[in-house]
Amino acid sequence: MAETNVNNGVNVGALLAAREALKGAPQAAKFTWRASCKWQNGTHSETKVQGFHGLGQEQKHKTEFSFSADHPEVFASEDLGATPVEYVLVGLASCLTAGVAAVAQNRGVQLRSVEAKLEGKMDLQGILGIDSDVRNGYDDIKVTFNIDADAPKQEIEAIVAQSQKRSAVFDIVANPTNITVEVV
Amino acid sequence: MAETNVNNGVNVGALLAAREALKGAPQAAKFTWRASCKWQNGTHSETKVQGFHGLGQEQKHKTEFSFSADHPEVFASEDLGATPVEYVLVGLASCLTAGVAAVAQNRGVQLRSVEAKLEGKMDLQGILGIDSDVRNGYDDIKVTFNIDADAPKQEIEAIVAQSQKRSAVFDIVANPTNITVEVV
């Protein structure tokens, strides 16, 4: 396998070194991710992301990222941002896609293009309180990858499966995650 | 209660009318939300959101929303966007906050400010494959609301609880959601 010529832009060597380092320092592997949201008006909010904690100390992104969220006009809102449920799809898409690049790099597979289309089905009878048997969230999310890479389809499928197996957002959405909501 | 003077910018009348209309047309309540992700390089991707399906027909946001995601420099990445797991916090924050505004409006409570701080704890021993007993996703998410409103604390807490009860993203994260991943 001509692994030496493969470059998907992922520094797998650094990740493998981090894994070895964290094996001996499990406390450093404990991360806290943060977001700070301010209501604007109606269903419109702005959420900022910059600081996080990990490797035993405070960290921050190079820049602050800011995200507008809103509901669309069909819900009598101003449509000033993506909906909250679309942000979940953004997180899932980007997590699986980053994983595909990392796993492909680790397996010596050169990627040429990776595209993912996501669809989440939701019955609004849940959030509108019409039918208490209908859940509020997605009934089902479908992710369809279209990948052009220097590998047979079976190997590409195995890369996607491994990305899914190690994906943080896949796990958060597919499995129950404890959430505590407080008012101060 | 001086409900007539309360204006949080949420058109509750339109939402209640939509609820009545959808009671008689459950098929129109079936929505599909979409996102389309393109790998850029390394762990960097761009995800776009515009079209969705609902009320029996194709819909679209007024503008296309585009989101860069990446991993931070401490993971040997370029930090060209928020991390995928931070996008989940953005979705959760904005969903609960929009709900607070809508429920407060419905209950005749004037909001002055709503802020939410979110923290998600994650042990990287999961995604790095160090310890198979450690999950990939968040162990725990904490949402802390700070709300200035024209109501006693107990009433504000009840508004937040009702928002949580009807939140799509809260449900998606707190409860299992089926995800199917395919390669074409």
Side-chain angles (χ1 to χ4, degrees):
Chain A
M1 220 189 301
E3 295 199 21
T4 44
N5 293 323
V6 168
N7 185 5
N8 296 324
V10 180
N11 190 338
V12 166
L15 291 177
L16 295 176
R19 178 161 74 180
E20 287 311 304
L22 291 175
K23 273 183 189 170
Q27 202 57 35
K30 294 191 188 299
F31 272 62
T32 302
W33 302 98
R34 301 195 193 104
S36 184
C37 178
K38 275 196 188 180
W39 173 62
Q40 304 296 308
N41 186 49
T43 53
H44 178 214
S45 67
E46 289 284 333
T47 303
K48 294 184 189 297
V49 164
Q50 182 160 33
F52 58 98
H53 187 93
L55 304 180
Q57 61 184 47
E58 282 300 300
Q59 308 280 352
K60 60 194 236 182
H61 291 291
K62 286 191 290 190
T63 53
E64 182 180 70
F65 303 112
S66 185
F67 304 102
S68 281
D70 200 357
H71 290 176
E73 291 183 323
V74 292
F75 301 155
S77 281
E78 293 193 61
D79 196 21
L80 296 170
T83 63
V85 294
E86 289 167 327
Y87 277 107
V88 174
L89 298 184
V90 172
L92 180 60
S94 56
C95 198
L96 291 171
T97 298
V100 165
V103 174
Q105 182 72 42
N106 194 37
R107 297 186 178 186
V109 171
Q110 180 64 53
L111 299 173
R112 284 183 288 268
S113 73
V114 180
E115 290 187 31
K117 303 269 186 206
L118 282 78
E119 286 199 341
K121 292 192 184 295
M122 181 180 294
D123 187 337
L124 292 201
Q125 292 184 95
I127 52 174
L128 288 173
I130 294 173
D131 183 344
S132 61
D133 287 340
V134 174
R135 71 178 292 184
N136 297 321
Y138 287 127
D139 296 317
D140 193 70
I141 299 172
K142 189 173 174 187
V143 182
T144 308
F145 272 104
N146 193 332
I147 296 175
D148 182 17
D150 200 11
K153 190 178 182 206
Q154 200 180 345
E155 197 170 348
I156 293 172
E157 285 174 336
I159 289 168
V160 171
Q162 179 62 17
S163 167
Q164 182 177 331
K165 188 180 166 192
R166 282 278 159 254
S167 165
V169 177
F170 184 92
D171 178 34
I172 292 165
V173 175
N175 299 305
T177 301
N178 188 54
I179 307 171
T180 308
V181 181
E182 274 187 8
V183 181
V184 293
Chain B
M1 222 188 302
E3 294 200 23
T4 44
N5 294 324
V6 170
N7 185 5
N8 296 324
V10 179
N11 189 338
V12 166
L15 291 176
L16 294 176
R19 177 160 76 179
E20 288 310 305
L22 290 175
K23 274 184 189 170
Q27 202 56 36
K30 293 190 187 303
F31 272 62
T32 302
W33 302 98
R34 301 195 192 103
S36 183
C37 178
K38 275 196 188 180
W39 174 62
Q40 304 296 308
N41 185 49
T43 52
H44 177 213
S45 67
E46 289 284 334
T47 303
K48 292 183 189 298
V49 165
Q50 183 162 30
F52 57 97
H53 187 93
L55 304 181
Q57 61 185 48
E58 282 301 299
Q59 308 280 353
K60 60 195 239 181
H61 290 292
K62 286 192 290 191
T63 53
E64 182 180 69
F65 302 112
S66 185
F67 304 102
S68 281
D70 201 356
H71 290 177
E73 290 182 326
V74 292
F75 301 155
S77 281
E78 294 192 60
D79 196 22
L80 296 170
T83 63
V85 294
E86 289 167 327
Y87 278 107
V88 174
L89 297 184
V90 173
L92 181 60
S94 55
C95 198
L96 291 171
T97 298
V100 165
V103 174
Q105 181 71 42
N106 194 37
R107 296 184 178 187
V109 171
Q110 181 64 53
L111 299 173
R112 283 182 288 268
S113 73
V114 180
E115 289 186 33
K117 303 267 185 207
L118 282 78
E119 286 200 341
K121 293 193 183 296
M122 180 181 295
D123 186 337
L124 291 201
Q125 292 185 95
I127 53 174
L128 288 172
I130 295 172
D131 183 344
S132 61
D133 286 339
V134 174
R135 71 177 293 185
N136 297 318
Y138 286 126
D139 296 318
D140 194 68
I141 300 172
K142 188 172 174 187
V143 182
T144 308
F145 272 103
N146 194 332
I147 297 175
D148 182 16
D150 199 11
K153 191 179 180 205
Q154 199 180 344
E155 196 170 348
I156 292 172
E157 286 175 335
I159 289 168
V160 170
Q162 177 65 16
S163 167
Q164 183 178 332
K165 188 180 166 194
R166 282 279 160 253
S167 165
V169 177
F170 184 92
D171 177 37
I172 292 164
V173 174
N175 299 304
T177 300
N178 187 56
I179 307 172
T180 308
V181 182
E182 274 187 7
V183 182
V184 293

